[in-house]
Amino acid sequence: MRLICHFDDSPAMPAHREQWREAHLAYLKANAGEILIGGGLREQPGGAFVGGLWVMEVESFERARQLVEADPYYRPDLRHYKLLVWGKAFEEPVIL
């Protein structure tokens, strides 16, 4: 099942991000078979991170929740998330 996870960070999250960045990146790498794409979201280029987005290939919503909540970045008081089913429009890249 292909899911996306949209993260919404609180204003206190940047300090947590800084402290746990290396552990978070190691976690993403260790779970790259299920967390296919991950990255931070900003409101403008060069701005502060306000959240993040993952694209996952997992067996279930429960597995997705486990991955999210085991991430060193996750703290319920600092980061909220929403899981959604995602369908890719094109399996092959479209060349314009």
Side-chain angles (χ1 to χ4, degrees):
M1 165 184 317
R2 194 168 288 159
L3 301 177
I4 65 112
C5 186
H6 177 265
F7 298 97
D8 185 34
D9 293 351
S10 78
M13 184 64 180
H16 184 74
R17 274 181 176 271
E18 186 175 322
Q19 179 181 0
W20 292 96
R21 183 178 187 278
E22 294 305 318
H24 167 71
L25 294 176
Y27 181 80
L28 292 177
K29 187 174 183 178
N31 290 284
E34 294 176 290
I35 304 169
L36 308 179
I37 300 171
L41 299 173
R42 303 169 191 235
E43 292 179 343
Q44 58 189 15
F49 288 107
V50 296
L53 180 78
W54 289 358
V55 176
M56 296 181 280
E57 188 70 44
V58 291
E59 291 184 15
S60 64
F61 273 93
E62 183 55 33
R63 177 60 184 148
R65 282 186 204 80
Q66 290 170 354
L67 286 166
V68 167
E69 294 179 9
D71 177 15
Y73 268 9
Y74 181 69
R75 277 195 26 198
D77 58 325
L78 298 178
R79 174 169 260 204
H80 300 274
Y81 70 91
K82 184 175 186 178
L83 294 171
L84 299 165
V85 176
W86 181 59
K88 189 175 176 184
F90 299 100
E91 288 303 318
E92 298 298 321
V94 176
I95 300 173
L96 300 175

